[in-house]
Amino acid sequence: MNKLLKTLPEGDLSIGHCSNSNKWFVTYNHEQHYLKKSEINLAKKLALKKYVKLKIKALEASLAEIKLHKAKTTTAQAALNNLLNDNAYIELLSDYFGKLDSEATVWANADYPKNTNHPESLVHPTVGGLMVRSKSESMIAIALSEHEIPFRYENLITIDDTTFAPDFTILHPRTGQIMYWEHFGLMDDEKYLNDFSHKIMCYAKNQIYLGENLIATYEASDCPLDYPTINNKINQFLK
């Protein structure tokens, strides 16, 4: 990260969030300058610089916490999470997050049967231009890309003549095993809860077992998904 930081241009990026567009600004020597849309390559490098600087601080804080045997979320990690929650930055960082191992890249980018139902609900941008159906799915995709874990979004599978579209089909980076990740986002809805139970049973009949080759995250109106939870799942199942 430090080596990468030295290759990036001077200046600090900030983004003005408008109702219909985002405006990019770079600050040199305490003076702020507007970046034109034609300067997107510079904006991408400055966004990467901001991400790398925050990532370095988060890693340094994590190392310090390990030495102190603490397990709380650090201020540095929280600042990084805030950046990763901002779609305007994600759009600029997608090229960087999209870099994966060559064989895994071939698998992740190969043609596969995709869920084509309700394309109008694909409104949340994430890495590599991928559009997903929820903010939580976007967070999971970003975290997987940050950890260089190859995945496919809504790759169709058939179980007992029924077609399912798991949120994420994952190629385990170490074992090469195919795994699945489902995010269940309406756990306080009774009908949704029944559908959830049915899906888990159908998966189990096809040797897709919760806690083994099926990762699950959950969300309710008063308990949103967050990056620490996602990263804990990645460390538990994909490292």
Side-chain angles (χ1 to χ4, degrees):
M1 285 290 177
N2 281 316
K3 287 180 181 178
L4 176 58
L5 186 60
K6 291 178 182 178
T7 69
L8 298 172
E10 294 185 5
D12 295 302
L13 180 73
S14 59
I15 296 179
H17 297 82
C18 304
S19 56
N20 297 320
S21 63
N22 300 302
K23 295 185 182 298
W24 308 325
F25 300 91
V26 59
T27 301
Y28 301 106
N29 299 322
H30 306 290
E31 292 186 3
Q32 191 177 68
H33 305 275
Y34 172 69
L35 286 178
K36 301 176 182 177
K37 290 300 179 183
S38 60
E39 298 177 280
I40 186 171
N41 288 334
L42 176 58
K44 286 184 176 183
K45 290 180 180 179
L46 290 171
L48 178 58
K49 179 181 179 181
K50 190 165 190 172
Y51 164 76
V52 168
K53 290 173 73 174
L54 290 173
K55 185 68 174 178
I56 289 171
K57 288 183 179 179
L59 290 170
E60 289 174 341
S62 294
L63 288 172
E65 284 197 351
I66 290 170
K67 291 177 182 178
L68 294 172
H69 303 288
K70 292 183 178 179
K72 64 181 181 180
T73 302
T74 66
T75 302
Q77 184 65 50
L80 176 61
N81 291 347
N82 287 337
L83 182 76
L84 294 175
N85 272 321
D86 192 328
N87 287 340
Y89 280 102
I90 294 308
E91 290 176 3
L92 293 173
L93 288 166
S94 62
D95 290 347
Y96 175 73
F97 286 151
K99 294 177 182 177
L100 298 171
D101 177 75
S102 58
E103 288 186 11
T105 301
V106 171
W107 177 85
N109 294 330
D111 288 334
Y112 61 89
K114 300 179 178 69
N115 181 16
T116 57
N117 294 331
H118 305 293
E120 70 280 0
S121 66
L122 297 169
V123 296
H124 294 271
T126 184
V127 295
L130 175 67
M131 303 294 287
V132 297
R133 301 180 190 277
S134 71
K135 180 68 176 291
S136 295
E137 289 180 347
S138 177
M139 292 168 64
I140 294 170
I142 291 165
L144 289 172
S145 295
E146 190 180 12
H147 286 274
E148 298 186 345
I149 296 170
F151 67 88
R152 294 174 175 178
Y153 180 66
E154 292 193 340
N155 188 154
L156 297 179
I157 61 174
T158 301
I159 300 174
D160 294 334
D161 298 322
T162 301
T163 300
F164 292 88
D167 295 328
F168 299 93
T169 301
I170 297 166
L171 183 65
H172 195 294
R174 183 169 50 82
T175 66
Q177 179 187 13
I178 294 293
M179 301 187 67
Y180 302 93
W181 188 322
E182 287 276 26
H183 178 65
F184 300 101
L186 297 170
M187 295 302 287
D188 45 2
D189 181 274
E190 186 175 352
K191 182 181 182 304
Y192 186 91
L193 202 57
N194 290 332
D195 292 341
F196 154 77
S197 301
H198 175 70
K199 180 179 282 189
I200 293 298
M201 287 190 293
C202 289
Y203 278 163
K205 290 179 181 178
N206 203 52
Q207 290 76 53
I208 301 174
Y209 299 115
L210 188 63
E212 294 185 14
N213 53 347
L214 173 61
I215 304 167
T217 43
Y218 310 94
E219 190 168 9
S221 57
D222 61 345
C223 187
L225 185 66
D226 56 27
Y227 276 107
T229 298
I230 296 170
N231 286 322
N232 285 341
K233 292 289 185 180
I234 289 174
N235 290 329
Q236 180 181 358
F237 292 102
L238 299 171
K239 291 294 184 178

